[in-house]
């Protein structure tokens, strides 16, 4: 059983153009196969009640995926020694305001299709990120 605990969000709003880093500490063993196991960040806004895959990483080889909306601004990384996932968010925009969730599950080769929330069986508690204009 995997437990994911997020930190780094939920505080005061960040000004547009600012930066924020989210962390996600994992404990337990997933049971997913090594080749397809990945971790990801999803977000959900109040306007769209679906979880958008923002970024993902195969923790073994380190291959990464980014949604077009965050490419060049967000960086996903994983510290294998600490078993912790990170999302560095730079040049934040008001439209990045959302609840962010880390997740562990399955990704497909070359991220085709892109990460889908239904392929992830383990979720963090969520972290609110608010970007003020």
């Amino acid at each position: 059983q995997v437990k994911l605990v997020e930190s780094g969000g939920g505080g005061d709003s960040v000004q547009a153009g600012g930066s924020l880093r989210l962390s996600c500490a994992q404990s337990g063993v997933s049971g997913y196969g090594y080749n397809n196991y990945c971790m990801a960040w999803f977000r959900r806004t109040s306007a769209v009640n679906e979880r958008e895959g923002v970024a993902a990483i195969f923790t073994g080889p380190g291959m990464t995926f980014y949604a077009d909306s965050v490419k060049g601004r967000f960086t996903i990384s994983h510290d294998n020694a600490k078993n912790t996932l990170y999302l560095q968010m730079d040049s934040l925009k008001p439209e990045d305001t959302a609840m962010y969730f880390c997740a562990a599950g399955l990704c497909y080769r070359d991220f085709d299709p892109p990460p889908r929330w239904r392929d992830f069986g383990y979720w963090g508690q969520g972290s609110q990120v608010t970007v003020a204009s």
Side-chain angles (χ1 to χ4, degrees):
Q1 189 75 9
V2 170
K3 183 177 182 181
L4 302 176
V5 179
E6 298 178 35
S7 59
D12 295 337
S13 63
V14 179
Q15 289 297 312
S19 298
L20 191 66
R21 189 176 81 158
L22 302 179
S23 301
C24 175
Q26 176 184 341
S27 60
V29 179
S30 72
Y32 288 103
Y34 174 81
N35 288 335
N36 294 95
Y37 179 70
C38 78
M39 297 190 73
W41 290 95
F42 288 78
R43 67 185 180 187
R44 184 180 67 205
T45 66
S46 56
V48 180
N49 194 27
E50 287 188 8
R51 299 185 185 188
E52 171 196 12
V54 171
I57 184 168
F58 283 106
T59 57
M63 292 173 59
T64 58
F65 161 88
Y66 296 96
D68 288 342
S69 57
V70 305
K71 200 170 292 183
R73 300 188 298 119
F74 289 12
T75 304
I76 188 171
S77 61
H78 185 266
D79 186 326
N80 291 333
K82 296 181 179 179
N83 220 5
T84 299
L85 181 73
Y86 301 97
L87 183 68
Q88 177 66 41
M89 301 182 289
D90 298 319
S91 302
L92 283 163
K93 303 176 180 179
E95 51 262 45
D96 294 319
T97 295
M99 183 71 77
Y100 285 74
F101 299 88
C102 66
L106 296 176
C107 288
Y108 295 89
R109 182 179 177 181
D110 297 326
F111 295 106
D112 184 16
R116 305 177 300 191
W117 67 266
R118 59 181 177 269
D119 291 322
F120 289 75
Y122 301 103
W123 293 87
Q125 78 275 21
S127 299
Q128 178 64 40
V129 173
T130 303
V131 184
S133 57

